[in-house]
Amino acid sequence: MYEDKTLSCKECGEDFIFTSGEQEFYAERGFQNEPQRCKACRDNRKAAARGPREYHKAVCADCGGEALIPFEPKTDRPVYCSDCFAKSREE
């Protein structure tokens, strides 16, 4: 029913694909307008509106290295660095 469309981002000018799945999603939600920005520009606008993220230092429960995390750590739960967290997700 829907076909992929190539649109031009009004922010950066780059072409991006408005997929048939995205078009179906828009139609289901009753959205009338097509997106005007590519995914990267939409994400940048959201991040700018949210403000800078505050990071906290913690000690990784697995390797003992330093971990920067976007939340305040609690003493009753372990915290992992990015590498150790990725390893635990694979298992």
Side-chain angles (χ1 to χ4, degrees):
M1 182 174 188
Y2 297 101
E3 291 184 24
D4 290 357
K5 290 183 182 179
T6 302
L7 303 176
S8 181
C9 177
K10 79 175 197 176
E11 194 88 18
C12 68
E14 294 291 319
D15 288 342
F16 66 98
I17 305 295
F18 185 35
T19 66
S20 59
E22 290 170 329
Q23 292 174 51
E24 188 174 345
F25 175 84
Y26 272 52
E28 287 173 358
R29 302 290 185 289
F31 299 148
Q32 299 293 318
N33 301 321
E34 296 177 339
Q36 297 184 9
R37 291 176 180 82
C38 64
K39 172 104 170 86
C41 289
R42 287 194 312 264
D43 290 345
N44 288 340
R45 284 176 58 92
K46 288 178 190 175
R50 181 177 59 225
R53 198 173 240 186
E54 183 179 340
Y55 286 92
H56 303 272
K57 291 182 181 181
V59 177
C60 177
D62 203 20
C63 70
E66 184 178 280
L68 286 175
I69 53 175
F71 56 90
E72 197 161 341
K74 297 180 180 177
T75 56
D76 62 332
R77 304 222 23 188
V79 175
Y80 301 102
C81 66
S82 298
D83 293 335
C84 292
F85 184 75
K87 287 178 193 173
S88 70
R89 300 280 291 198
E90 291 173 0
E91 296 172 355

